[in-house]
Amino acid sequence: KNDGKDDDQMLLWTADILRRLHERYYSTSASVEKSVPDLLRSMRRETLRRHPSAKVVMSGLIPIHKQNKQSNIRPPIVRYAEELGAEVLSDVAQGVTHVVAARDGSSKIHRARKEYPGCYIVHAAWLMECYWSITRRDEK
């Protein structure tokens, strides 16, 4: 049952995006990137690039046979993260800021919690909210 809360949230995000887009379009600093699609791409790219710059690891979201780095085809979840300005790592390592997980309890999550206590464990929905709202959503 959809009680309209999702629609209301999307409408609020859209209004915020349009307000920020309008400000950027008419600011003097945006003189180089004047097309709306370019400005939206730029806004999205800055979402997870701001301090601290996000370095994310996917857990349980990409089938093993599609994790080959040689492939030119990136899974959509990886494209979303990269378009938001995140660096996508293949495994938990120094500097990782987020583990984007399908479910709790994976070995990547356990390692991140143990070795990198400041690392956020987030669901894929967090990444999608960041993508659609073009803002860094609360990780908690």
Side-chain angles (χ1 to χ4, degrees), residues 101-116:
R103 62 199 145 284
D104 198 13
S106 72
S107 63
K108 289 179 183 177
I109 290 174
H110 288 302
R111 275 204 340 272
R113 283 188 175 137
K114 182 179 176 186
E115 298 173 25
Y116 307 104

Side-chain angles (χ1 to χ4, degrees), residues 39-102:
L39 289 170
L40 283 170
R41 263 190 298 281
S42 173
M43 288 168 60
R44 195 163 265 141
R45 199 173 34 250
E46 294 167 4
T47 303
L48 296 180
R49 199 172 273 171
R50 293 205 174 119
H51 184 74
S53 183
K55 293 184 180 183
V56 303
V57 172
M58 305 297 172
S59 176
L61 295 167
I62 305 168
I64 300 272
H65 70 281
K66 292 191 177 181
Q67 292 181 13
N68 181 359
K69 280 285 191 189
Q70 275 74 26
S71 173
N72 291 336
I73 301 169
R74 297 169 302 157
I77 195 84
V78 171
R79 283 199 326 269
Y80 290 136
E82 290 174 344
E83 286 176 24
L84 288 167
E87 179 182 345
V88 179
L89 307 174
S90 58
D91 204 355
V92 175
Q94 182 67 42
V96 67
T97 59
H98 297 77
V99 175
V100 181

Side-chain angles (χ1 to χ4, degrees), residues 9 11 22 33 62 73 78-80 93 121 123 134 139:
Q9 187 61 58
L11 189 58
H22 181 270
E33 328 169 81
I62 305 168
I73 301 169
V78 171
R79 283 199 326 269
Y80 290 136
I121 310 301
H123 193 272
I134 311 183
E139 287 98 339

Side-chain angles (χ1 to χ4, degrees), residues 10-55:
M10 286 297 284
L11 189 58
L12 290 170
W13 287 345
T14 302
D16 178 60
I17 291 166
L18 290 172
R19 182 191 51 75
R20 291 185 291 136
L21 182 62
H22 181 270
E23 285 174 12
R24 192 172 287 207
Y25 187 84
Y26 288 105
S27 77
T28 55
S29 64
S31 60
V32 176
E33 328 169 81
K34 272 301 192 187
S35 81
V36 169
D38 286 345
L39 289 170
L40 283 170
R41 263 190 298 281
S42 173
M43 288 168 60
R44 195 163 265 141
R45 199 173 34 250
E46 294 167 4
T47 303
L48 296 180
R49 199 172 273 171
R50 293 205 174 119
H51 184 74
S53 183
K55 293 184 180 183

Side-chain angles (χ1 to χ4, degrees), residues 122-138:
V122 295
H123 193 272
W126 172 83
L127 188 67
M128 298 315 302
E129 283 187 12
C130 291
Y131 188 84
W132 291 113
S133 68
I134 311 183
T135 58
R136 190 172 192 147
R137 309 304 296 162
D138 186 11

